[in-house]
Amino acid sequence: MSLALNPIAIRLFGLEIHWYAIIILLGVLFGIWIAQKEAIRCGITTDDILDFILIAFPLAIVGARLYYVIFDFSAYRDNLLAVFEIWQGGLAIYGGLIASFITLLIFTYYRAIPRLKFLDVVMPSVILGQAIGRWGNFINQEAYGSSVSEHFLR
């Protein structure tokens, strides 16, 4: 049995908006909301959360792309401009997490925010974002295992 899902949610003026992008954006928005609620409880300002995400999110995209390209460089060696074509796919969550963590280290240093406290505030958002983002992977038909029946009902 296979499930055919259309990865494109909306076509608007020739622009295709994919379900994956919508789902990732929802994960980010829910993550910001949770982090802001937790920040208030922990004595960190909600402005610090917003400032951090405005810096970290774009850098996470760059980090995710860099990580992907570095580990699949042979696909880009002959066409270096293709490195910038993220709409063709190729982001790795590990690179995004690494870039975000480095951003967090620098951000908390300059804002004089205790790092472990800031990590306590943002980590539930990271976990939630990862969980929601996996649904985007499902829509794209990537990064999931095979059917249980394929293993047990042979």
Side-chain angles (χ1 to χ4, degrees), residues 1-112:
M1 179 177 148
S2 68
L3 182 62
L5 299 170
N6 186 352
I8 300 168
I10 303 167
R11 285 186 173 86
L12 189 62
F13 304 113
L15 179 68
E16 294 178 342
I17 300 172
H18 290 245
W19 281 111
Y20 188 77
I22 292 169
I23 292 168
I24 293 296
L25 183 59
L26 285 174
V28 170
L29 293 175
F30 278 125
I32 292 169
W33 180 72
I34 287 174
Q36 287 185 318
K37 297 292 182 193
E38 188 65 11
I40 292 168
R41 194 179 73 73
C42 293
I44 295 173
T45 71
T46 56
D47 283 348
D48 284 332
I49 298 300
L50 288 176
D51 290 346
F52 174 72
I53 197 68
L54 287 172
I55 297 166
F57 188 68
L59 292 175
I61 293 170
V62 170
R65 183 60 172 179
L66 279 174
Y67 190 96
Y68 185 87
V69 168
I70 288 168
F71 285 95
D72 193 21
F73 188 70
S74 61
Y76 302 95
R77 182 180 310 137
D78 297 330
N79 182 9
L80 292 178
L81 290 178
V83 167
F84 299 103
E85 297 173 356
I86 64 169
W87 56 90
Q88 298 295 331
L91 299 173
I93 187 67
Y94 312 112
L97 291 172
I98 292 166
S100 296
F101 183 70
I102 292 168
T103 303
L104 183 140
L105 294 176
I106 296 167
F107 182 84
T108 55
Y109 174 79
Y110 280 103
R111 290 284 176 102

Side-chain angles (χ1 to χ4, degrees), residues 82-151:
V83 167
F84 299 103
E85 297 173 356
I86 64 169
W87 56 90
Q88 298 295 331
L91 299 173
I93 187 67
Y94 312 112
L97 291 172
I98 292 166
S100 296
F101 183 70
I102 292 168
T103 303
L104 183 140
L105 294 176
I106 296 167
F107 182 84
T108 55
Y109 174 79
Y110 280 103
R111 290 284 176 102
I113 301 170
R115 283 191 181 124
L116 292 178
K117 183 185 276 194
F118 200 80
L119 278 168
D120 281 345
V121 168
V122 299
M123 283 313 294
S125 298
V126 172
I127 294 166
L128 177 67
Q130 180 70 9
I132 292 172
R134 286 297 170 195
W135 284 102
N137 294 129
F138 179 74
I139 297 290
N140 279 352
Q141 298 290 285
E142 61 188 17
Y144 63 93
S146 59
S147 169
V148 172
S149 64
E150 290 178 26
H151 297 287

